[in-house]
Amino acid sequence: MPWFAWLLAAAALGAAEFFTLTLVFGLLAGAALVAAVVAGVGIGLLGQLVALGLAAVAGLALVRPVALRHMAQGPLTHEGSDALIGKRAEVMQEVTATHGLIKISGEEWSARALDESLVIPVGALVDVMEIEGATAVVYPRELLP
C-alpha cells in the first residue's frame, strides 16, 4: 500500500477524533502515520500492517489510560478569586450579613458574613468560604462573644 494512502487514513482518523474526542481515533491516526513511515521506507504490506497493529495496541493499551487519568484530574492550582477560597483574612471594618471589609493576602475585599445573624468585629480572623462577584463570604475562625 503506498505511503500517501496511510497519510489519507491518518487524516480521516484525525478528523474523526476531532469530532468524537475519545482519544481512540487520534491514537489510530498516529498508528497510521507509523504505517506511512514504514511504507515510505519500502517495507511491504505485511510489515506495514504489523507496524500499524503494534502502534495501535501500544497507543490504546499504554498511552490512552495515562491520558485519560491526567484529563480526569482537576487543576493543581486555583486561579483568580478561586484561589482565595479557604484563606484566612482579617476584618478591617465590621462584617455583617450585608457589608464589611476584610484584608486577604494584602488586598482589601468587601465582605459579608455567611451566617446572616453574625456581626464580626474589627480585628477578628475569618475564613473565606466563597467569593460572590467582588464580595468575599466569610465565617469567623473562633467563636464570637
Side-chain angles (χ1 to χ4, degrees), residues 110-115 127-132 135-139:
S110 60
R112 71 173 182 82
L114 179 65
D115 183 349
D127 287 321
V128 178
M129 306 307 282
E130 60 186 275
I131 301 290
E132 291 180 353
T135 302
V137 180
V138 299
Y139 193 79

Side-chain angles (χ1 to χ4, degrees), residues 34-56:
V34 170
V37 169
V38 170
V41 170
I43 298 177
L45 181 61
L46 182 60
Q48 296 170 27
L49 293 174
V50 168
L52 175 75
L54 289 176

